[in-house]
């Protein structure tokens, strides 16, 4: 399975621009499973609830999800992407998973970072697992990485690949991802944005990590690029460290 | 509080030698809380249950624990050290905590590594917390680090300092310790051995890490040394990352 990420610098509250950018970049890609950053369609640095309102959409049946489904059908790929969601007058920092057959599922960020708490509700959907053909995947969003319980919950439920849209302002995770992958024996696709917005500097360095904690590919801090690599998701089903230790039987 | 470790190369099954070594090295130290490696008194590479039997002791009321208590009284310090324990014809990979007033408590390694499973029982005492004056500490042993639940349990129960005797043959933890300290906002005193024994090569690089994930002091891979540093354990009580995020309230 060819998995990849697109690292770019979204324009704040310019959804037209951001969606067009994605469409241009993805066109003709042979990536089978692509991860876009957190809030890829809206940018990050919301200053008011009105700004959030102006960008948030329903998932499914919102403009951005429909747009992603169209690309997924056209390019015959699966896409995970972060976007602000509205539901019953509440707002969530969410990610969506779509594929060639349409909408598959969504995740709502549990661990809100910093001023996100001013505008967004804590995720209330748990850590759901989705199937991409015969591969089990789960989503996390950015700061969720800091809490080992989050990826552990996904891995214990069978996730082989962690699809992880981020807007990282700290740069711990680009090192710590190796530990998260290793302790759970999963693949991680970390799709970060780069650039500056408001008071925030985003740290790029998107990467794909294997179940041994090895960084397979990664990007620089300030570069726009789409990268992908062939992986064997079945490797994530093997939790054995040696003939005596199985990391999940030993917990 | 001045905390430290002693990194050395124990002689296999030569308890006299190993205890004498410790006594010599500690004499006159101003360390208040010292951590010795896993199986510091016996060495690691047991080949038979008879070898384990010949080295295992009661905790408390065993030769090594009594020896450590005498040093702790003489030097007015607290000591944590790993040793093979026997209890009711079972064997445990244990650590003991003693101080100037005598025996304080013990921990039995939960996550047995590799061939330890041939001879030792999985720890059955949970992850207990002990008080050193007004500071709460907990113990882990070596491979326990791989499982985030172990240190999390100690930290959630208030441990400010993780006393961590090891015999690391892999060298992941010397990097991953930063993540464990950071995610739990605790100090870690990682006391590893060095040298070769049987098929095992031990990786040294003992270290003390602060709650921000910063390595305060560390040692090389093949060096015998006692190192210590002054820390403020109260820093581990602050789980706030910023004005909106408290790492333990956010879990």
């Amino acid at each position: 399975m060819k998995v990849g990420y697109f690292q770019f610098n979204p324009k704040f509250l310019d959804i037209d621009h951001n969606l067009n950018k994605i469409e241009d970049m993805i066109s003709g890609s042979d990536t089978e499973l692509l991860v876009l950053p957190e809030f890829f369609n809206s940018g990050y640095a919301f200053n008011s609830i009105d700004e959030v309102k102006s960008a948030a959409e329903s998932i499914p049946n919102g403009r951005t999800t429909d747009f992603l489904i169209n690309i997924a059908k056209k390019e015959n790929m699966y896409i995970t992407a972060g976007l602000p969601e509205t539901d019953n007058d509440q707002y969530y920092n969410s990610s969506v998973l779509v594929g060639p057959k349409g909408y598959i599922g969504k995740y709502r960020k549990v661990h809100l970072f910093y001023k996100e708490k001013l505008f967004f509700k804590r995720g209330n959907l748990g850590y759901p697992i989705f199937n991409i053909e015969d591969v089990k995947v789960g989503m996390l969003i950015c700061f969720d990485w800091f809490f080992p319980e989050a990826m552990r919950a996904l891995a214990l439920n069978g996730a082989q690949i962690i699809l992880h849209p981020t807007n990282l302002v700290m740069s711990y995770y680009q090192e710590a991802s190796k530990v998260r992958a290793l302790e759970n024996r999963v693949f991680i696709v970390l799709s970060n944005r780069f650039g500056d917005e408001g008071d925030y500097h985003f740290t790029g360095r998107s990467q794909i990590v294997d179940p041994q904690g090895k960084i397979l590919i990664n990007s620089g801090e300030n570069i726009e690029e789409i990268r992908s690599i062939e992986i064997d998701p079945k490797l994530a089903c093997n939790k054995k460290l040696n003939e005596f230790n199985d990391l999940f039987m030993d917990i």
Side-chain angles (χ1 to χ4, degrees), chain A residues 1-15:
Chain A
M1 175 180 263
K2 197 157 189 181
V3 298
Y5 58 77
F6 177 42
Q7 173 170 306
F8 77 119
N9 182 1
K11 237 181 180 168
F12 186 55
L13 294 183
D14 191 342
I15 296 180

Side-chain angles (χ1 to χ4, degrees), chain A residues 2-251:
Chain A
K2 197 157 189 181
V3 298
Y5 58 77
F6 177 42
Q7 173 170 306
F8 77 119
N9 182 1
K11 237 181 180 168
F12 186 55
L13 294 183
D14 191 342
I15 296 180
D16 288 342
H17 170 88
N18 298 326
L19 298 192
N20 287 336
K21 165 71 80 177
I22 296 302
E23 190 159 22
D24 290 348
M25 288 300 295
I26 296 180
S27 177
S29 165
D30 62 350
T31 305
E32 294 167 79
L33 169 57
L34 182 74
V35 183
L36 303 177
E38 182 181 15
F39 288 160
F40 88 99
N41 64 335
S42 60
Y44 182 82
F46 295 107
N47 294 297
S48 67
I49 194 69
D50 285 339
E51 285 182 351
V52 174
K53 235 181 233 187
S54 76
E57 305 177 14
S58 297
I59 303 176
N61 304 318
R63 174 188 175 186
T64 297
T65 303
D66 290 344
F67 163 86
L68 292 170
I69 289 171
N70 281 336
I71 295 185
K73 287 180 175 169
K74 201 174 93 194
E75 305 290 340
N76 192 34
M77 61 167 39
Y78 294 84
I79 305 172
T80 282
L83 68 162
E85 179 191 6
T86 179
D87 182 31
N88 270 323
D89 293 329
Q90 302 288 0
Y91 301 95
Y92 300 93
N93 182 339
S94 297
S95 60
V96 65
L97 174 63
V98 302
K101 292 180 185 158
Y103 174 74
I104 297 173
K106 67 184 170 187
Y107 164 69
R108 290 170 172 167
K109 186 179 188 176
V110 170
H111 302 96
L112 298 170
F113 181 69
Y114 199 53
K115 294 187 182 176
E116 294 169 29
K117 291 193 177 184
L118 296 176
F119 307 125
F120 297 95
K121 297 281 282 184
R122 183 178 168 101
N124 54 5
L125 302 177
Y127 299 105
I129 301 288
F130 301 100
N131 285 298
I132 292 182
E133 290 150 34
D134 61 344
V135 177
K136 290 187 190 302
V137 303
M139 295 179 267
L140 294 178
I141 299 175
C142 206
F143 189 50
D144 285 327
W145 83 264
F146 216 109
F147 302 83
E149 294 83 358
M151 201 178 298
R152 194 62 138 192
L154 288 174
L156 287 173
N157 281 321
Q160 295 158 264
I161 311 176
I162 308 301
L163 309 172
H164 204 154
T166 68
N167 273 193
L168 293 164
V169 292
M170 302 183 287
S171 53
Y172 293 121
Y173 187 39
Q174 289 97 334
E175 299 299 324
S177 62
K178 291 179 278 192
V179 179
R180 291 282 177 263
L182 187 69
E183 71 198 13
N184 291 302
R185 285 292 161 103
V186 291
F187 289 93
I188 300 173
V189 183
L190 188 177
S191 180
N192 198 19
R193 67 166 287 178
F194 74 96
D196 293 279
E197 206 180 87
D199 296 333
Y200 301 100
H201 172 73
F202 301 96
T203 56
R205 297 171 59 208
S206 298
Q207 55 186 222
I208 298 179
V209 192
D210 81 3
Q212 310 290 329
K214 187 179 164 207
I215 295 176
L216 299 176
I217 55 173
N218 60 354
S219 294
E221 176 153 345
N222 289 296
I223 187 172
E224 175 177 304
E225 64 178 353
I226 186 167
R227 295 284 305 276
S228 60
I229 190 167
E230 184 73 31
I231 65 165
D232 178 4
K234 281 196 300 294
L235 295 177
C237 300
N238 177 12
K239 309 297 183 187
K240 283 188 94 65
L241 187 68
N242 56 52
E243 59 184 304
F244 291 92
N245 291 110
D246 178 296
L247 292 176
F248 278 16
M249 298 298 286
D250 283 342
I251 291 174

